[in-house]
Amino acid sequence: MEMTDAPQVLLFNLPADERTKAIEAYLTERQIGVRHVQSVEYRQKLGYLLQLPGYTDSGCHFGAAFSDEMAVMVGFDAQQLNAFLDFFRQAGLRRIEYKAMLTPTNVSWDVLTLHRHLRSERDALEAAKRKKH
């Protein structure tokens, strides 16, 4: 999988508010690209959204959507990832519930598939926590 040259974040369903402006400012200050993905693009593969070679428009611009906030981090090293996640706590901002790093596996998934996968993982973790208590 070819990665993009510079780190970037795909954001989904973040409202136009002060929290989102703070997130955008944090990323921009660190020269991390930001792209807000629209629901009409949810049938596109992540590779296409990131303009990676070999990924073409799916031709599907309608269908199901979701309202959960989600972020996909691309090209982050461990320090950048940890700093971004820490930023929410340090700034007193509500976190983005569904987060993923771009991987060789999920680069070929469409947005809806990634969201379903993240939601399934979260549901399994919550069920395991409830089972412990």
Side-chain angles (χ1 to χ4, degrees):
M1 169 182 70
E2 283 190 45
M3 297 300 288
T4 57
D5 292 335
Q8 57 184 306
V9 177
L10 299 177
L11 296 173
F12 305 82
N13 297 320
L14 270 68
D17 62 10
E18 293 305 312
R19 174 176 160 263
T20 298
K21 287 179 188 172
I23 294 167
E24 291 169 341
Y26 171 89
L27 294 167
T28 301
E29 286 169 11
R30 286 151 186 81
Q31 299 174 338
I32 297 171
V34 179
R35 177 160 185 247
H36 290 272
V37 180
Q38 304 305 310
S39 61
V40 296
E41 300 175 286
Y42 287 4
R43 294 278 184 196
Q44 299 294 336
K45 293 182 180 193
L46 294 174
Y48 174 77
L49 295 175
L50 294 162
Q51 300 178 335
L52 297 178
Y55 293 92
T56 58
D57 187 332
S58 71
C60 185
H61 300 279
F62 59 89
F66 56 89
S67 59
D68 302 309
E69 293 181 346
M70 188 169 78
V72 177
M73 283 74 65
V74 182
F76 277 44
D77 61 28
Q79 182 179 357
Q80 288 170 313
L81 177 61
N82 289 332
F84 183 51
L85 298 177
D86 286 345
F87 159 73
F88 288 86
R89 181 181 47 78
Q90 292 168 353
L93 299 176
R94 182 176 41 82
R95 66 185 185 156
I96 297 171
E97 289 298 325
Y98 296 99
K99 298 173 284 301
M101 290 288 293
L102 186 72
T103 68
T105 299
N106 68 22
V107 70
S108 62
W109 293 355
D110 67 23
V111 173
L112 295 171
T113 300
L114 176 62
H115 178 259
R116 275 193 307 271
H117 182 79
L118 292 175
R119 186 172 205 133
S120 176
E121 281 183 349
R122 182 184 170 132
D123 290 348
L125 287 172
E126 288 177 358
K129 285 180 187 177
R130 284 192 302 271
K131 195 173 183 180
K132 279 186 174 182
H133 296 293

